[in-house]
Amino acid sequence: MEHIKRILSYTRRALDDYEMIREGDKIAVGVSAGKDSLTLLCAMAELRRFYPVPFELCAVTVDMGFSEGMDFSPIQKLCDELNVPYHITHTEIAKIIFDVRKEKSPCSLCAKMRRGALHRAAKELGCNTVALGHHFDDAVETFMLNLFFEGRLGCFSPVTYLSRMDLRMIRPMIYLPEKDVRYFSSRAALPVIKSPCPADGNTQREEMKQLLARLDREHNGLRYRIFGAMQRGEIDGFKVVDGMQGIKAYDETAYDESTQEE
């Protein structure tokens, strides 16, 4: 697939640094139909061809059950092209959150329920690992959200073991900046499906994303310095590898977003 070299470079580095894949792993990629998870799916499908540690792959989508429904056939077509088995697990999460409970701040509960559905589906499919599409910017935003709104230093971990489910969660895109995900998604014409969630784009995370974007423009490299602090502080399993701090040294050839639109 064209334009994937850079994606593979960042992804493989994270897989190696955190020993995310073990021989014989069967990995379920959580596919939400957004740009991040579809990019991860493409990267993992390509890496499967030459990565030195052999692994199996499948894709899993949790259907939230919104009344208008979602057409996942474009995702099925992509999976067929990538030779990745695709599974949809149907739920009533949307009904429970918005109609039954009428949650005013639905994101936390929704995420918890989606994770539960994804984990159960992965186990039913015989998978021992779930791969999630969180990228570099997600990590920085999560760290800052925890600091601002919970008063604690924390983030999701690059690798997590869920003992109750006997399931590992890996995040192979933690070094990959979101701008590169956008670039690849656009160039590869990935079949991104917009979320029908009424809370989409109106969350604390979106506020933090905008705040960090503004601060980064005023203080160039701020996000990389925050990520470097997470590594040096070994926050929730992050670590400095081979002297790489904040991945800035690894990003010297980053795309200039002003030149990406053609």
Side-chain angles (χ1 to χ4, degrees), residues 177-219:
E178 185 177 16
K179 60 190 175 190
D180 292 327
V181 176
R182 284 197 299 267
Y183 182 84
F184 172 74
S185 176
S186 174
R187 287 302 185 94
L190 296 183
V192 174
I193 302 174
K194 180 173 173 52
S195 171
C197 177
D200 188 45
N202 186 29
T203 63
Q204 288 180 336
R205 179 171 292 276
E206 183 61 28
E207 291 179 21
M208 181 58 68
K209 182 187 292 289
Q210 297 303 321
L211 174 62
L212 283 169
R214 178 174 62 80
L215 291 174
D216 201 52
R217 286 192 297 269
E218 296 173 0
H219 307 282

Side-chain angles (χ1 to χ4, degrees), residues 136-137 140 209 212-213 216 221-228:
F136 166 81
D137 293 82
V140 174
K209 182 187 292 289
L212 283 169
D216 201 52
L222 174 65
R223 279 177 285 196
Y224 293 105
R225 290 191 291 276
I226 293 172
F227 192 86

Side-chain angles (χ1 to χ4, degrees), residues 6-7 10 35-36 39 133-139 141 173-186 205-206 209-210 213 223-224 247 251 255 257 260:
R6 185 172 178 80
I7 304 298
Y10 278 104
K35 68 181 187 334
D36 303 337
T39 295
H134 296 117
H135 47 63
F136 166 81
D137 293 82
D138 285 329
E141 290 160 12
M173 298 204 306
I174 54 170
Y175 291 156
L176 182 63
E178 185 177 16
K179 60 190 175 190
D180 292 327
V181 176
R182 284 197 299 267
Y183 182 84
F184 172 74
S185 176
S186 174
R205 179 171 292 276
E206 183 61 28
K209 182 187 292 289
Q210 297 303 321
R223 279 177 285 196
Y224 293 105
I247 76 168
D251 195 53
Y255 292 118
E257 289 191 281
Q260 288 185 19

